[in-house]
Amino acid sequence: MKNLTLVFVLSAFNPLVSTQFFIVAAKTIIIPSTSFNSQADFDAEWGYNYPWGTDHNGAARMAKSQVQLEPNATLTLTAKKASGEKAATHGGKQIPIKYLSGTVYAKEYFTVTKGGGYDFAAELRATVTKGTWPAFWLTGVKGWPPEIDMAEWKGSGKISFNTFNTSSQVRARDVAYPSPNEFHSILCEVRDAGNGRDVSARFTMDGKVIETQYGKGFIGQSMYLIIDLQMEGSSGSPGPNEDTLFQVRNLEVTSYNP
């Protein structure tokens, strides 16, 4: 669903080059806020599991059965204990599978062009229990990096905002995550940083700007958008025995690419 709404001029200051620059961009809704309203709306925009399959880098295997659309237009991902599952393989290592869980990805690719960018906005309710690893993130289609973790929770009681330039060149910011049983609004504004090569990612939670990070060479690189409830891995172990929920509503993606 792409809805061209208006054309306007953005003015921004790039601290990397200390110059003012102007962007003429069309505001286009790429994923509308109604994509969780019905199964038909969901199917138009989203696919189940990861773009590459059911497994990744944690102790959960993804299954369509663990993804639900609630009557109030909320996406619910549920992780539950499982046994007898074949181990996953990631990075040449075997990872025991202890859970079945839910992950979805947007069918659209997201590529920041020169002078362009995107807004990724959503309301999310995420657990901070040890061994739970929900995330709202972007990762490269044709290789890694790029990666921008627009919101990630790793069982520490905090929320993380991260940008990976390489496996060792990472900007990570952890801040307090109050009232985890409530929904919180997340906005990530990804833009051409002003040099036609790099992107800026400005992270906002509940209307408060957290910080801006930079991805080197991200311009022109297509990215997947993933909503993920992984378990254990970077969030530690053991994970919980009871079911874990990750919920998302009012998600909208807007393009400003020329």
Side-chain angles (χ1 to χ4, degrees):
M1 294 290 185
K2 298 176 178 60
N3 179 24
L4 184 63
T5 54
L6 55 89
V7 176
F8 62 101
V9 177
L10 298 175
S11 173
F13 178 76
N14 177 15
L16 298 179
V17 295
S18 300
T19 58
Q20 190 84 10
F21 63 96
F22 296 88
I23 301 170
V24 179
K27 180 180 179 180
T28 307
I29 304 300
I30 302 298
I31 299 180
S33 59
T34 56
S35 71
F36 300 146
N37 281 15
S38 70
Q39 190 65 51
D41 291 326
F42 177 89
D43 291 341
E45 307 291 348
W46 301 93
Y48 293 96
N49 304 325
Y50 297 103
W52 52 84
T54 60
D55 302 342
H56 190 35
N57 56 358
R61 173 159 291 138
M62 303 307 153
K64 181 179 178 181
S65 61
Q66 303 310 112
V67 179
Q68 300 294 328
L69 294 175
E70 308 293 347
N72 59 356
T74 297
L75 175 76
T76 298
L77 309 179
T78 303
K80 67 177 183 179
K81 291 285 284 187
S83 61
E85 295 286 330
K86 181 181 177 181
T89 301
H90 181 78
K93 297 180 179 179
Q94 297 288 301
I95 304 175
I97 295 297
K98 305 175 186 177
Y99 298 86
L100 292 179
S101 188
T103 287
V104 301
Y105 69 94
K107 294 178 178 179
E108 183 84 19
Y109 294 168
F110 301 92
T111 308
V112 178
T113 61
K114 291 183 179 181
Y118 295 91
D119 285 351
F120 298 89
E123 296 177 357
L124 305 102
R125 179 159 61 191
T127 175
V128 293
T129 302
K130 180 180 178 180
T132 64
W133 192 8
F136 175 50
W137 57 300
L138 300 165
T139 192
V141 172
K142 294 185 177 180
W144 185 92
E147 180 176 332
I148 301 173
D149 300 325
M150 299 182 289
E152 183 180 28
W153 299 261
K154 295 181 286 187
S156 67
K158 297 182 178 182
I159 184 172
S160 299
F161 305 96
N162 318 305
T163 302
F164 286 80
N165 288 297
T166 69
S167 57
S168 59
Q169 295 179 349
V170 185
R171 174 60 183 172
R173 177 71 185 276
D174 293 351
V175 300
Y177 187 64
S179 305
N181 291 326
E182 298 178 3
F183 280 91
H184 294 273
S185 63
I186 298 294
L187 171 64
C188 185
E189 299 163 283
V190 183
R191 298 287 188 277
D192 181 343
N195 58 15
R197 298 185 306 274
D198 307 329
V199 304
S200 63
R202 185 168 76 164
F203 303 92
T204 299
M205 181 172 67
D206 295 333
K208 179 181 178 181
V209 175
I210 305 301
E211 73 170 13
T212 300
Q213 301 174 4
Y214 294 90
K216 294 182 180 180
F218 284 18
I219 295 289
Q221 296 200 50
S222 297
M223 294 182 285
Y224 296 119
L225 169 60
I226 300 173
I227 304 171
D228 183 21
L229 179 51
Q230 191 48 261
M231 300 291 284
E232 297 193 352
S234 291
S235 63
S237 60
N241 290 318
E242 65 275 10
D243 288 358
T244 296
L245 302 183
F246 181 30
Q247 295 185 299
V248 186
R249 67 187 186 190
N250 296 325
L251 183 148
E252 185 171 277
V253 180
T254 306
S255 170
Y256 298 91
N257 285 334

PDB file of all heavy atoms in Angstrom, residues 88 100 144 155 160 182:
ATOM      1  N   ALA A  88      19.459 -25.465  15.871  1.00  0.00           N
ATOM      2  CA  ALA A  88      19.699 -24.502  14.804  1.00  0.00           C
ATOM      3  C   ALA A  88      21.199 -24.368  14.585  1.00  0.00           C
ATOM      4  O   ALA A  88      22.005 -24.716  15.456  1.00  0.00           O
ATOM      5  CB  ALA A  88      19.105 -23.149  15.173  1.00  0.00           C
ATOM      6  N   LEU A 100       9.341 -22.297  20.738  1.00  0.00           N
ATOM      7  CA  LEU A 100       8.706 -21.882  19.495  1.00  0.00           C
ATOM      8  C   LEU A 100       8.224 -20.458  19.699  1.00  0.00           C
ATOM      9  O   LEU A 100       7.680 -20.124  20.757  1.00  0.00           O
ATOM     10  CB  LEU A 100       7.534 -22.782  19.134  1.00  0.00           C
ATOM     11  CG  LEU A 100       7.870 -24.217  18.735  1.00  0.00           C
ATOM     12  CD1 LEU A 100       6.586 -24.984  18.431  1.00  0.00           C
ATOM     13  CD2 LEU A 100       8.818 -24.271  17.538  1.00  0.00           C
ATOM     14  N   TRP A 144      25.687  -8.247   5.342  1.00  0.00           N
ATOM     15  CA  TRP A 144      25.659  -7.597   6.666  1.00  0.00           C
ATOM     16  C   TRP A 144      27.023  -7.020   6.979  1.00  0.00           C
ATOM     17  O   TRP A 144      28.030  -7.701   6.731  1.00  0.00           O
ATOM     18  CB  TRP A 144      25.274  -8.619   7.731  1.00  0.00           C
ATOM     19  CG  TRP A 144      25.112  -8.008   9.089  1.00  0.00           C
ATOM     20  CD1 TRP A 144      23.963  -7.528   9.629  1.00  0.00           C
ATOM     21  CD2 TRP A 144      26.138  -7.792  10.060  1.00  0.00           C
ATOM     22  NE1 TRP A 144      24.202  -7.031  10.892  1.00  0.00           N
ATOM     23  CE2 TRP A 144      25.542  -7.184  11.179  1.00  0.00           C
ATOM     24  CE3 TRP A 144      27.520  -8.035  10.102  1.00  0.00           C
ATOM     25  CZ2 TRP A 144      26.249  -6.816  12.318  1.00  0.00           C
ATOM     26  CZ3 TRP A 144      28.236  -7.670  11.236  1.00  0.00           C
ATOM     27  CH2 TRP A 144      27.592  -7.081  12.341  1.00  0.00           C
ATOM     28  N   GLY A 155      16.775  -8.540  28.138  1.00  0.00           N
ATOM     29  CA  GLY A 155      16.639  -9.131  29.457  1.00  0.00           C
ATOM     30  C   GLY A 155      17.341  -8.396  30.577  1.00  0.00           C
ATOM     31  O   GLY A 155      17.549  -8.964  31.649  1.00  0.00           O
ATOM     32  N   SER A 160      17.506  -0.988  24.151  1.00  0.00           N
ATOM     33  CA  SER A 160      18.748  -0.690  23.423  1.00  0.00           C
ATOM     34  C   SER A 160      18.434  -0.111  22.056  1.00  0.00           C
ATOM     35  O   SER A 160      17.483  -0.533  21.384  1.00  0.00           O
ATOM     36  CB  SER A 160      19.591  -1.958  23.250  1.00  0.00           C
ATOM     37  OG  SER A 160      19.954  -2.510  24.488  1.00  0.00           O
ATOM     38  N   GLU A 182       3.344  -1.675  29.729  1.00  0.00           N
ATOM     39  CA  GLU A 182       2.609  -0.688  28.944  1.00  0.00           C
ATOM     40  C   GLU A 182       3.212  -0.548  27.553  1.00  0.00           C
ATOM     41  O   GLU A 182       4.376  -0.898  27.321  1.00  0.00           O
ATOM     42  CB  GLU A 182       2.633   0.670  29.657  1.00  0.00           C
ATOM     43  CG  GLU A 182       1.973   0.660  31.026  1.00  0.00           C
ATOM     44  CD  GLU A 182       2.052   2.019  31.717  1.00  0.00           C
ATOM     45  OE1 GLU A 182       2.578   2.981  31.092  1.00  0.00           O
ATOM     46  OE2 GLU A 182       1.604   2.118  32.866  1.00  0.00           O
TER      47      GLU A 182
END
